[in-house]
Amino acid sequence: MIAEPNAASTLPSQKENAVHDETVPESPAQNGTCVRNGNLKTPREKRKVREQCENIRRNSPASRRVSQLQNGEVVEAVTLFEVVSMGKQAMQSVVVDWVEAYKQDRNVALLDLINFFIQCSGCQGMVTAEMFQSLYKKDVMQKMTETFDKETGLQYKKFMAYPWILTVTWPVDMDNEDYPLIRTGPYWKKFKANFCEFIAVLVQQCQCSILYDNYLMDAIISLLTGLADSMVRAFRHTSTLAAMKLLTAVVSVHLNLDVNKHNAQRLYEVEKKRLSGKRTSYRLDQLERKRKEYEHKLLEIQNMMNAIFKGTFLTRYRDVIPEIRATCMEEIGSWIKTYPDAFLNDSYLKYVGWMLYDKQAEVRLKCLLGLQGIYSRKELVSRMDLFTNRFKDRIVSMPLDKDHEVAVQAMKLLMLMSQNCGDVLSAEDCEMLYQFVYATHRPLAVAAGEFLYKRLLSHGGDKVQPKGGKFGASTDQLKRLIHFFLESELHKHVAYLVDSLWDWAGKFLKDWECMTTLLLKNDEEDGEALSDAQESALIEIILATVREAAEGHPPVGRGAAKKFLSVKEKKIQLEDCTKITEHFIMVLPQLLAKYSTDAQKVANLLQIPQYYDLDVYSTGHLEKHLDALLREIKDIVAKHSDMSVLEASSRTYYILCREEIAIYSQVDCARTQMIDELMKQLNQLLDCFWQKEGGFCTDAGEISRMHSTLRRVAAFHNAHDLTKWNLYDKTLKFLVFETEHGSLPVLIILPALQCTYFSLLWQIAAVSENSPKETLFPLRRQLRHFSQICTCFLHHKEKDVREKAFMILCDWLLILSHLDSNNNEEAVGLLGYLPNTELQEKLFSFIQEHVFMDGEEEKKDLTEEGKDEACKLDDLHKKRSLLAAYCKLIVYNVVEMTAAAEIYKYYVKTYSDFGDIIKETLSKTRYNDKIQSAKTLILCLQQLFQTHAESQDSSNGVDFSSPSFANIKELARRFSLTFGWDQVKSRESIAMIHKEGIEFAFQGATGVDGKCLPPNLSFLLIISEFSNKLLKPDKRLVYSYLQRYITEPLACRGDKWQPLVWYRNSLLSNEDEESSVLGSLGEWPPVGSSKTSSFKRKLSNGSVPETSQTEAGSKAPEQQCVSQLSSAAGKSRKRLKSQEMHLQEHLPFLCPGGMRRRYCKDEVKTEDVSAEGPEDTIEDVDVVGTDQDS
């Protein structure tokens, strides 16, 4: 009979101690839960076996040597579980000790091993065993059960570990999913490795002796198979891992036996040939016996492998736990790679192929890693044809996997398939895979870059013989790269392409000498010169490679920049910068001279000098090349009016003209000379432009020349101080004339507006600490005048002028409202400026008209103008820029925060286009002022509700089912999601929303008795979306605040009062004592003399002392200052203040100061919320401002 344990006496008295990760867990054996032999009949026999078991443990070397401090005391390891989990002793000696014990008494040692596997599963229960003696399989199968005993509260599992029938008994909390394999901490991280190592060493140590005794392996395999079939996750996970590692170790034994068998067979053949004339030979017989012995062992090993595979793998490779499935896939990949003769066939490969479709990324990743080990060996690839044809499409699609690591490993696998499988990938497959070089995830892009480089750039050259010359091979690679870049039609992503190839083709991409030689080559020298498109692409590639080498980090949008470079990386970076400077100092003037008429090429080439090491000019005596560069830039500025070229030229002068470098005087002289010529040209044009009669020249040629000159001046005025040339008066005249007459061409207004803006900025920047007051008043007048001009231009007839004036005005207001004129407080007071209410209204009207255009009007405009997709994107970009400029004014308190309420109305409607900007605005304003931000949200909802109510028939009330009301409710839900999961951090804001919402809902109710239906009562449905963000004490407080508006609850019946009932239910959703009074008619509980009624009377007065109870409850609630909110429900939250502090600071705008102490004593103190989490949960969270301080 199986000995049934007594729950009261055999189970441990307590759970495993909750120790830190560094301590050793308490062993079940120390609590009297060691393995027992239930087959022994008499107490004497049982006692004898128990003593033998304890003596073996006590006398073993492992138990004597392994110890660890725990709680200041030495804990001696007396079980295999403790020895292995500690990892303080070499696993080889641990296994040797166990094998010796097994040879002395295999039953006791085997039971110790069985107990080891049970303990590794985290089981704190008891294992009992009886010897299997029945010959009838039916009797055995009846014992294989897993049941729950309701009387004792214990779980039982009976299974066969031949020749034992084991019974494992454990408490029900074994299902709490806490067992060694999944525990965290440095101690348990080592446990899995030690556990796997123990199994591998055990098989290795036993392979020459007891592995084939038809007892040990049968028992272990039966044990692991039985545990793997358990409903308990811990048993299943631990036994599956053990079984898979056991099979891996057995496969290694099989390989060794196979080698020994072949060696014995060869020796047998040699010996047989040598003794062909003799009938018998002792040596021959000995080899024959050895060969048969190896065959017999191989047969047994194969039976073990089949038993483990069929008993564990086939049942667990599709387990519900992803870790178990991942373990199976990891090990089968190892088996196929290690022993392909047995496992590399479709019978085993199909499981890997099937699990490529698994829902868990971890499982898919293990499959890909296993396949990489197979496809990396060419001798195995030929046997993968059927698998490759069947699952190739799935593997090709996996670089699109949502998990980044899976996508990366899939691309690496495809790289191996491309190298070793011939033409398995079609041209269409390769074209699709090439495009991943533009992916934003850098590891995936780098893997795709390897695929592109090895498949197209390096091996593609085999088809075309490189021509002779110094750069023959590199030239061919460059042309293939340029061809790919142009064919991909993603010209703006060249930086991504270069970054993807950098790790694999860095040497090739740093061959700037080859690139520039190819650009400077004449058509006569080579009939296959580059086309214009190819030259533009090559220049973009040169710029991208120079930037990558000089900056040493990926482009924007592809991972964060490197914070720290290693010594080796810094050395490489400095060497590259020096190489760039020495090469392009001499070559760049030639390139600029050749492409001086091409604006796109010149704009890209002029960005290269910003990566120079400028000291090379003086140390290398290369000033003549600097003169050549400055001459070319001056010539380019004279030829071009394109802003990209002009801005690049201005930036180049700015970089070269730094005072701390030796070439400053030379560059400054050239800059001054060029600007003098520009100003001379501008003065000549101005003399001809303004006519004596007060008009201006309308000649198209003169207007074009004036436009080009003003653009050049504006581009340089952006980076250089041109104040001494007195540009302000010259450009202001254009703006004044336009405001008075309104007939100037747009081509002149825009650059003139820009020049005037820059002139004033440079004057503000020049204000110093000692600036006299007399000089500040004229500047103040100029600033005010310019602001008026920009405001006037907001209503200009030309859209471009309106948008330019709005952008400048927003930046202008932001600068003037945050002046810091070198600690000159007087200057800040005179020059500072904040927009008045009228100007704020004009700014929002502009945004509403130019950004939040109705969909039908926008569609109509697009249809009439016939705009293509590119124009639509440009228009959207302009709108986003306008909205972002206005939102900055709100965030930095230039415009009142309440103005954001108008913006928030469009949050849901325009979420795809402007949702990120509006959400960031909401986050920043909440960070600045939580309470005011909450009032802005509720103001937005109130305005929408009023608009909706006005559009409805007043006699029928508000229609809850109308689309507009549903949209308001959805907007409130989205606002609620922005508060995230931390209810304590958002406590003040949510309480303020409810307070303002309740007051608005009952606003305008006739009579103080509340019998008449308030017109805004339906608004309670909208603010109910925020109820799930309230803490339980705050729900009660808000509920009590709500009750003050209802003096006679029994009158609040009927469908018209249903919003009130719904809102009340949202506040009392989890309050059993409160919700029990809810009826089908929505009746309110009597409040006559209850605590709530007392609280309501006190809440009605915001300043009455605690002893005063005579004030009338009809007074309107007064607005009170909001103190810092602390939690009343935070016994489990370390950040919360104590309850004593909470009583003093608990929502002062809801709870008046005179009654806080009594309310908290009556209500909050009796509530234990430390064990309760948030009451309501939501499926999706749209968090804003999660990084704010609570």
Side-chain angles (χ1 to χ4, degrees), residues 378-391:
K378 289 186 178 181
E379 67 273 12
L380 303 181
V381 171
S382 59
R383 300 159 63 178
M384 298 280 292
D385 293 340
L386 185 59
F387 177 87
T388 303
N389 294 332
R390 171 64 179 82
F391 295 102

Side-chain angles (χ1 to χ4, degrees), residues 74 76 200 221 243 317 370 418 471 501-502 541 720 730 747 812 822 837 847 891 912 1001 1079 1118:
V74 176
E76 186 178 5
I221 294 173
Y317 84 97
S418 174
F471 307 109
L501 293 169
W502 195 255
I541 292 173
H720 307 273
K730 299 173 184 177
L747 295 177
W812 188 243
N822 299 322
T837 304
I847 287 294
V891 170
S912 59
E1118 300 177 0

Side-chain angles (χ1 to χ4, degrees), residues 870-887:
C871 292
K872 293 179 183 179
L873 292 176
D874 290 341
D875 289 342
L876 178 60
H877 178 70
K878 290 181 180 179
K879 291 180 180 180
R880 288 175 58 85
S881 300
L882 295 172
L883 180 60
Y886 180 73
C887 289

Side-chain angles (χ1 to χ4, degrees), residues 2 20 89 249 323 630 758:
I2 299 177
H20 294 291
Q89 187 179 6
E323 291 88 349
L630 295 175
F758 290 145

Side-chain angles (χ1 to χ4, degrees), residues 34 87 122 170 177 190 249 301 388 420 462 497 512 519 521 604 748 830 851 879 966 987 1093 1151:
C34 61
W170 68 93
E177 295 187 355
K190 298 178 182 178
I301 291 294
T388 303
N420 299 327
D462 297 339
L497 173 61
W512 295 295
L519 285 174
K521 188 179 298 184
N604 288 326
I748 294 179
L830 289 174
V851 177
K879 291 180 180 180
R987 190 180 186 190
S1093 177
C1151 182

